[in-house]
Amino acid sequence: MHASQRAEDNHALEYAVISANALRLPVLVLFCIIPSLPFATGLHYAFMLEGIDEVKRSLANRGIGFIVRKGEPEGIVTALSEDAALLVTDADYVRSGKAWRERISSSVTCPMVMVETNVVVPLGVTSQKEEYSAATIRPKIWKHALTYLVAPHHEEVTITSSERDETGLLQKDRRLLLRTLAKTRTRQLSSTFKGGTSVAQRLLSEFVEQKLPTYASLRNDPAEDSVSHLSSYLHFGQISPVTVASTVLGHQTEGADAFLEELVVRRELAMNYVHYNSNYDTLMGVSSWARATLEDHADDRREHIYSYDELENARTHDSYWNAAQKEMVNTGKMHGYMRMYWGKKILEWSETPADAYSRALELNNRYELDGRDPNGYAGLAWCFGNHDRPWKERPVFGKVRYMNDRGLERKFDMSRYVERMETHP
Ligand SMILES: Cc1cc2nc3c(=O)[nH]c(=O)nc-3n(C[C@H](O)[C@H](O)[C@H](O)COP(=O)(O)OP(=O)(O)OC[C@H]3O[C@@H](n4cnc5c(N)ncnc54)[C@H](O)[C@@H]3O)c2cc1C
């Protein structure tokens, strides 16, 4: 278990249970805590471990063994699977996760099966290539989505296992463990959001009852709290996108359509981007027309240039941008609409587009609880023109879409948003 950290609606886990029952063998789940993940802070590890505590309890109730080890998965999985009849893993689409699965597949002696359970439609079924935009991938996803929007078949295990976390890693002093896991220091070790499948399920129910009816009209407004807040739970695989999409699909409203466009089309476009584009985490990954126009305007005069430190500490002349940066640092989650404005402004206020890209990526991955996610790489690439079309040419941005503060003021009550971020504890 790596990318889909949950005991519920997990196709990889259920595949393992069905196979074990057929072989009359027990199931043992292994979770590796990988120390010093790039940019990850104590906040990310704390959220993840809250989810893992719950996985441990749920698996024990089902008679499924569960062990936790600290270290890179490659050696640990290979050694443990020497005694296994079958190795089952979930799927990941970022470079590191794909690479170690690949290496394990050539070093283990038992059969190995990878089951995708963090998307609605398996990536290769939707498309065999990098898609240009939401418009090109949308029909390909919806052609198959209804086939895949079903919960995995659930069986009880016939041979139970009592193997448990014998290293006691999860029982260790949490603060001490978090310090050894993350190189970077964080001011606080818990965010506004508590990790775990049950919290994600509660957020989903509240969203459907209270926010879905107005999601289509209010989701972009940063002054409103009208979004699901599910991104970090989806990032760690603590809730299945199939569960979320199936719950919302039952409500045939404008809100449901708008939500499924984000959760299924935009999210799976992001997965497609990182899977098929090996440069997904640099400016080189962005469409060639966008890179060319940014290059043409690389020497344009920038009215403001801010250092990384000034950006990190929200010390720019722009109170809306500062509020967004504070929201991210203080809560672990910036509003989605402000993420677009935030990324565009970093492009405007940096010496070069490549510099802007790497600084934005670092801030995003360090401070967003849902950071290091395909959505983050695709979201940033969008700020630099990817998955978008050329617009009217202008300084610095060239033909890449521009955003300004007046646009925010026209649409939203920005003073309310700024005030809320100023008063956040
Ligand atoms: C510069 C930039 C950086 C971003 N960084 C991240 C990131 O690090 N991690 C991350 O998960 N998302 C990122 N996003 C995408 C999006 O902003 C967040 O997924 C969303 O704000 C999460 O809040 P929510 O779950 O309350 O969203 P909701 O509006 O409730 O949406 C539900 C789900 O749909 C998906 N979704 C929503 N908007 C998008 C989108 N634009 N693209 C792809 N999927 C989407 C997410 O999985 C989200 O949880 C980024 C976007 C931009 C422009």
Side-chain angles (χ1 to χ4, degrees):
M1 181 179 285
H2 171 73
S4 302
Q5 300 167 14
R6 62 176 183 275
E8 281 78 30
D9 292 344
N10 183 327
H11 298 75
L13 176 67
E14 297 310 330
Y15 180 85
V17 169
I18 293 166
S19 308
N21 285 347
L23 292 163
R24 299 206 54 77
L25 286 170
V27 180
L28 177 62
V29 172
L30 165 69
F31 182 75
C32 292
I33 306 176
I34 307 175
S36 304
L37 285 168
F39 304 123
T41 66
L43 210 64
H44 298 101
Y45 283 107
F47 185 88
M48 180 181 86
L49 292 178
E50 282 160 2
I52 292 299
D53 287 335
E54 198 175 328
V55 168
K56 182 182 161 188
R57 288 193 297 274
S58 304
L59 293 179
N61 289 340
R62 278 182 78 182
I64 297 174
F66 183 56
I67 54 175
V68 179
R69 295 281 165 84
K70 192 166 109 184
E72 295 293 327
E74 206 173 327
I76 302 172
V77 176
T78 308
L80 259 176
S81 57
E82 273 174 21
D83 292 334
L86 174 70
L87 172 62
V88 180
T89 181
D90 49 29
D92 198 356
Y93 307 107
V94 291
R95 194 178 299 115
S96 56
K98 287 204 293 195
W100 64 250
R101 281 174 179 77
E102 190 67 43
R103 289 194 297 267
I104 288 173
S105 73
S106 51
S107 64
V108 288
T109 46
C110 67
M112 174 172 168
V113 176
M114 185 173 81
V115 182
E116 292 183 77
T117 185
N118 217 5
V119 284
V120 172
V121 183
L123 253 56
V125 172
T126 296
S127 174
Q128 300 279 330
K129 62 176 173 65
E130 183 184 351
E131 288 294 330
Y132 187 73
S133 67
T136 64
I137 205 171
R138 189 178 295 114
K140 296 182 185 178
I141 291 177
W142 282 114
K143 183 172 165 203
H144 302 284
L146 294 185
T147 311
Y148 288 98
L149 276 172
V150 281
H153 175 71
H154 181 98
E155 269 181 27
E156 293 311 327
V157 291
T158 41
I159 311 287
T160 59
S161 163
S162 55
E163 275 212 61
R164 292 294 163 253
D165 172 27
E166 77 272 27
T167 58
L169 258 178
L170 293 180
Q171 273 76 52
K172 283 214 168 81
D173 177 341
R174 206 37 77 89
R175 291 185 84 81
L176 206 66
L177 176 63
L178 294 174
R179 294 239 154 77
T180 65
L181 289 172
K183 275 198 211 129
T184 30
R185 286 185 176 276
T186 8
R187 277 170 243 174
Q188 80 267 53
L189 285 177
S190 66
S191 70
T192 309
F193 302 95
K194 188 176 171 355
T197 300
S198 55
V199 184
Q201 284 164 339
R202 179 175 54 72
L203 283 174
L204 174 61
S205 308
E206 284 171 8
F207 172 73
V208 169
E209 273 172 37
Q210 298 160 21
K211 301 178 185 173
L212 190 60
T214 54
Y215 183 79
S217 56
L218 294 182
R219 73 180 188 281
N220 284 335
D221 189 341
E224 297 284 337
D225 178 16
S226 59
V227 291
S228 71
H229 299 301
L230 284 173
S231 54
S232 308
Y233 301 89
L234 287 160
H235 169 71
F236 287 95
Q238 294 178 355
I239 192 160
S240 156
V242 173
T243 309
V244 180
S246 309
T247 309
V248 169
L249 196 68
H251 301 254
Q252 289 181 345
T253 58
E254 216 190 338
D257 290 348
F259 184 81
L260 292 171
E261 170 70 14
E262 302 298 343
L263 174 78
V264 185
V265 177
R266 295 282 164 176
R267 184 168 179 274
E268 294 188 16
L269 175 64
M271 303 282 184
N272 170 281
Y273 175 60
V274 302
H275 185 58
Y276 290 114
N277 187 325
S278 56
N279 291 317
Y280 66 81
D281 51 356
T282 69
L283 187 61
M284 289 304 290
V286 169
S287 304
S288 50
W289 73 262
R291 263 186 294 128
T293 190
L294 289 172
E295 185 59 32
D296 288 346
H297 289 266
D299 295 331
D300 291 358
R301 198 181 79 79
R302 272 90 173 136
E303 206 172 317
H304 304 275
I305 291 190
Y306 291 110
S307 65
Y308 183 86
D309 188 59
E310 285 168 324
L311 294 174
E312 187 175 32
N313 289 294
R315 284 201 310 266
T316 77
H317 69 282
D318 181 333
S319 60
Y320 304 151
W321 192 94
N322 294 345
Q325 174 70 16
K326 284 181 195 160
E327 180 178 28
M328 174 171 73
V329 171
N330 293 337
T331 69
K333 182 170 178 282
M334 189 192 299
H335 187 278
Y337 197 84
M338 292 309 292
R339 294 193 201 205
M340 298 193 270
Y341 181 79
W342 176 89
K344 294 278 184 191
K345 291 294 149 189
I346 297 181
L347 170 57
E348 194 176 326
W349 301 335
S350 300
E351 304 260 9
T352 65
D355 191 30
Y357 196 95
S358 64
R359 296 182 328 151
L361 189 67
E362 179 164 350
L363 287 169
N364 187 88
N365 286 355
R366 175 154 294 156
Y367 289 108
E368 298 286 14
L369 200 49
D370 59 24
R372 296 176 304 106
D373 188 274
N375 278 353
Y377 298 112
L380 259 186
W382 178 87
C383 294
F384 290 71
N386 207 50
H387 294 155
D388 202 1
R389 64 173 173 84
W391 293 71
K392 190 169 171 299
E393 196 154 2
R394 52 169 299 122
V396 182
F397 283 77
K399 292 178 187 154
V400 168
R401 186 199 296 248
Y402 172 70
M403 286 172 83
N404 68 12
D405 49 0
R406 289 190 304 282
L408 294 177
E409 287 160 1
R410 258 198 320 276
K411 294 186 187 116
F412 316 117
D413 179 355
M414 289 305 293
S415 56
R416 200 147 64 88
Y417 175 65
V418 172
E419 198 187 340
R420 195 148 57 81
M421 291 315 128
E422 291 300 336
T423 52
H424 191 277

